[in-house]
Amino acid sequence: MTRQIRHWKIPLLVVGLAYLVRTFSLDWQSFWIDEVHTVYFIDNPLMETVRLIISPEHNGPLYFLLLWGWRQLAGGSDFALRYFSDLASVLTVAVMWRIARAWFDDRVAGWTGLLFAISPFAIWFAQEAKMYALHMMLASFATLFLIKALRPLPRRWPAWLAYGITINLLGYSHFFGAFAIAAQGIVTVFTTLRRPKKLRSYLITMVLVALPYLPVVNFALRLLPRFEMRDISKGFVSLSGMLRDIASEYVLRISMNDMTYPARPRLLWPVALLVLLGAFEAWRRGWRRGLWLTGLMTLPIAIFYPVSLRVPVFSPKYLSATFPFFVITLALALEALRRLWRPLIWGGLIGMVIVAGWANVRILTQPMYQRTNWRAAAAYLEAHARPDDCIVGFADYIHRPINRYYAGAAPVYRFRADAYQPGAYYDGLEQEGCHVLWLVLHQDQAMAPHNRLEEAAGLRY
């Protein structure tokens, strides 16, 4: 019993740490616009929610469906809705510990759990009412079940069944899950070429579980030939640009666009060296282990890159299924430092903890790194807007975050007009008796550059 307690002490500690750092500040920041859209999807009867989430432009239908059920139990507060992602992220810590232990050893598993627990990237999405924490959890579970299914056990069908179910959930948690599933397939084929029974079991499983993906494949085949990017915030990103963005997001939860140029080498070179060192350590411990780890970390990016030539929708969070394996690679880098010279591991660990801590504190304390502060905007309006004033948001959906936090008496209007010719819309407000206008602008103005909302409003108010 004493040995069992000692064996579970480290995973319990890192899971507890993960829960603490994610939960104590879970609702410190207000919902940003995408989280408010989440509420819009699930704040309906079940069938209406289903109708909304199966629209092609809405990614991750599984998350919204699960959150609809969660809301019935936990309520609709910021804390309650984000708590679902919080729990998924905490559970991922435990799953990653199991994976790292299965591939390597207890010490690597411990470092993996610790680094995932304090990661700014993991914590950010654990505190967001979106699908990315669920996506990372399902990618981790799928890998764990695949590891179990490929082991030489007498009864492996439960593991194959669990794997088949999980990859279907992974694909429906985010469409980019297909790249993670493809990476698992490539690595499985290469590592089982001389093990025909295992390869046959994998192929049979994939054929049986492919049926739920047929609607997605059919949609993708119809979409790709006529796809046109309408979001001007998205554009083609080179492979080197993808890797830079992924490194900065995974380490600091910050886009390279938000960083000054001198800061880039200081971040990227140490990260690149640690990743290479960790990958080398994985291959040193066996080519299958090295292929599994580096394949699941890099192949989804490599597969997506040619797709992005036609569908330029890159964001590091879309490829977050690779993040858990990035963390294992960093944990292996610590072990490689230990093997080179024991004191180096403490220097590397202290450095990683300091960087993660600094990034997490900055996210909590510096507005430029935080989510849009709709609570502050609503509080300002409550303090200054009179009941006979009117409040208008830039786009026709800005009324949703305002209404979530605003409790004043002034009416909130949806802006349903041409942003380049808003004069007639303002004339209608004046005719309704609105003589003081509060215009709420948002970063989505980039979707309508050179709009005339402020200019036209200034001529009338």
Side-chain angles (χ1 to χ4, degrees):
M1 181 63 70
T2 302
R3 180 176 298 179
Q4 285 184 324
I5 293 174
R6 188 162 53 245
H7 171 74
W8 288 105
K9 182 166 61 175
I10 295 299
L12 288 174
L13 285 174
V14 294
V15 167
L17 174 64
Y19 181 80
L20 177 65
V21 298
R22 284 154 174 74
T23 308
F24 88 97
S25 59
L26 190 60
D27 61 349
W28 283 17
Q29 299 181 43
S30 63
F31 276 16
W32 71 295
I33 193 69
D34 276 17
E35 291 179 284
V36 175
H37 287 335
T38 296
V39 177
Y40 168 70
F41 294 148
I42 67 170
D43 194 18
N44 292 285
L46 178 58
M47 295 313 298
E48 176 64 14
T49 294
V50 171
R51 186 189 67 80
L52 290 171
I53 65 178
I54 62 175
S55 298
E57 64 269 21
H58 301 317
N59 203 345
L62 174 69
Y63 171 79
F64 298 116
L65 187 60
L66 293 176
L67 194 67
W68 184 92
W70 176 264
R71 184 185 184 280
Q72 311 310 308
L73 298 173
S77 68
D78 291 6
F79 187 95
L81 293 179
R82 284 176 172 166
Y83 196 71
F84 183 78
S85 295
D86 184 350
L87 293 180
S89 185
V90 171
L91 185 56
T92 306
V93 176
V95 179
M96 291 311 302
W97 180 87
R98 290 292 301 272
I99 293 173
R101 183 170 178 267
W103 278 344
F104 302 106
D105 53 49
D106 283 345
R107 194 161 48 238
V108 175
W111 298 136
T112 298
L114 174 62
L115 294 178
F116 197 94
I118 65 174
S119 160
F121 184 84
I123 292 173
W124 178 271
F125 292 109
Q127 296 183 334
E128 184 168 284
K130 291 289 288 181
M131 71 286 295
Y132 302 105
L134 174 68
H135 188 61
M136 285 185 270
M137 184 193 76
L138 290 172
S140 303
F141 263 118
T143 303
L144 180 61
F145 291 139
L146 185 55
I147 291 171
K148 291 180 177 293
L150 292 172
R151 283 180 174 176
L153 300 174
R155 295 179 66 227
R156 289 175 295 174
W157 70 264
W160 282 118
L161 177 62
Y163 176 69
I165 293 172
T166 306
I167 60 172
N168 275 289
L169 296 177
L170 174 62
Y172 280 99
S173 69
H174 196 284
F175 295 151
F176 275 43
F179 302 125
I181 297 168
Q184 292 172 355
I186 293 171
V187 175
T188 300
V189 169
F190 273 100
T191 55
T192 59
L193 284 175
R194 296 185 179 180
R195 302 173 180 180
K197 290 184 178 180
K198 294 182 179 180
L199 179 57
R200 185 168 59 250
S201 297
Y202 171 77
L203 294 176
I204 292 173
T205 301
M206 295 306 294
V207 169
L208 292 176
V209 302
L211 294 177
Y213 284 100
L214 293 180
V216 178
V217 173
N218 182 53
F219 166 71
L221 292 176
R222 288 187 291 107
L223 174 68
L224 285 175
R226 52 187 175 84
F227 179 84
E228 292 183 9
M229 176 53 64
R230 298 180 180 179
D231 186 348
I232 66 172
S233 67
K234 296 287 193 300
F236 174 74
V237 179
S238 66
L239 183 58
S240 60
M242 285 185 186
L243 295 177
R244 287 197 302 268
D245 275 352
I246 287 171
S248 58
E249 287 272 358
Y250 280 8
V251 176
L252 296 176
R253 224 309 297 170
I254 179 175
S255 170
M256 291 297 291
N257 295 328
D258 298 329
M259 301 176 63
T260 58
Y261 178 78
R264 298 184 184 189
R266 290 203 300 269
L267 167 70
L268 295 179
W269 283 114
V271 172
L273 290 174
L274 287 171
V275 169
L276 290 174
L277 186 60
F280 175 79
E281 179 69 13
W283 283 87
R284 190 188 71 83
R285 297 189 182 204
W287 72 269
R288 284 191 175 87
R289 297 174 182 180
L291 184 58
W292 272 108
L293 181 62
T294 56
L296 297 187
M297 180 175 62
T298 61
L299 282 176
I301 303 169
I303 297 170
F304 167 69
Y305 176 69
V307 176
S308 72
L309 298 174
R310 185 69 185 87
V311 187
V313 292
F314 168 74
S315 175
K317 63 185 179 182
Y318 298 161
L319 292 164
S320 56
T322 66
F323 177 70
F325 308 103
F326 173 83
V327 175
I328 295 180
T329 306
L330 294 183
L332 280 168
L334 291 176
E335 280 299 290
L337 292 174
R338 176 181 177 276
R339 187 169 53 83
L340 292 172
W341 186 41
R342 188 176 294 268
L344 284 178
I345 189 174
W346 299 112
L349 179 62
I350 291 171
M352 291 181 187
V353 171
I354 289 175
V355 169
W358 169 72
N360 284 320
V361 170
R362 183 196 57 196
I363 289 171
L364 291 176
T365 59
Q366 298 185 26
M368 69 176 294
Y369 299 109
Q370 297 174 347
R371 296 174 175 87
T372 311
N373 196 345
W374 289 104
R375 284 197 194 120
Y380 187 88
L381 290 169
E382 288 177 22
H384 296 87
R386 296 175 301 182
D388 55 348
D389 296 347
C390 61
I391 301 169
V392 176
F394 160 72
D396 68 346
Y397 49 80
I398 297 300
H399 72 288
R400 295 173 188 160
I402 298 173
N403 284 330
R404 181 167 182 85
Y405 298 107
Y406 177 67
V412 179
Y413 291 89
R414 297 180 63 179
F415 179 76
R416 298 183 178 182
D418 183 354
Y420 299 98
Q421 296 179 342
Y425 179 80
Y426 291 145
D427 291 341
L429 291 180
E430 283 190 305
Q431 292 173 8
E432 292 182 21
C434 175
H435 301 296
V436 176
L437 171 70
W438 293 87
L439 182 61
V440 181
L441 303 178
H442 185 253
Q443 63 189 27
D444 280 1
Q445 289 179 91
M447 302 294 291
H450 313 300
N451 68 81
R452 299 188 67 252
L453 264 73
E454 291 182 84
E455 179 183 353
L459 294 175
R460 290 167 172 76
Y461 295 94

